[in-house]
Amino acid sequence: MMTYKGYVATYELDTDDEIFYGKLIGINQLVTFEATTAHDLKQAFYDSVDDYLAFCAENNITPDKPFKGSFNVRIDSDLHRRAVMASRGSSLNAFVADAIKEKLGGLYA
């Protein structure tokens, strides 16, 4: 995966055509890019994000934000109760955020 301006992309190599291709993830629009080298792929990704944002600005469209910072989690009632009890007076949101950070360890920056 690659990130730029808060946008995230995945990419693959097509070994038959010897080309890298990728797309932005986490947004509703389809934004793709391709290149023949890894260096060019990175630049194509940057360009695709910049082009998407420019298109949105020119057409008075609010660009999709890749990650809003909120999501629903469905768990059984006993685990829900235990999480509230373990949060020791802090919000359940803060408790879950801390648990995710802990689980991610060094990956969280």
Side-chain angles (χ1 to χ4, degrees):
M1 290 195 297
M2 298 185 290
T3 61
Y4 175 64
K5 294 186 176 179
Y7 290 87
V8 178
T10 60
Y11 59 91
E12 295 183 30
L13 171 64
D14 181 334
T15 56
D16 293 333
D17 293 333
E18 297 182 346
I19 192 165
F20 291 100
Y21 61 94
K23 67 179 181 175
L24 301 187
I25 60 171
I27 64 171
N28 291 321
Q29 287 77 24
L30 177 61
V31 179
T32 63
F33 53 94
E34 62 182 50
T36 55
T37 68
H39 178 268
D40 291 345
L41 181 72
K42 187 175 181 181
Q43 187 60 54
F45 166 53
Y46 293 168
D47 292 345
S48 71
V49 170
D50 290 339
D51 290 347
Y52 169 66
L53 295 173
F55 173 83
C56 290
E58 290 169 8
N59 292 283
N60 202 26
I61 299 169
T62 302
D64 273 355
K65 292 185 179 182
F67 301 98
K68 298 174 189 165
S70 66
F71 63 97
N72 293 324
V73 178
R74 304 216 188 290
I75 57 177
D76 68 56
S77 59
D78 184 56
L79 185 57
H80 187 176
R81 179 187 60 76
R82 291 172 41 207
V84 169
M85 300 285 289
S87 69
R88 298 187 179 123
S90 70
S91 73
L92 189 55
N93 283 336
F95 178 78
V96 171
D98 288 345
I100 291 171
K101 289 175 190 174
E102 182 179 318
K103 185 69 175 178
L104 290 174
L107 297 176
Y108 181 73

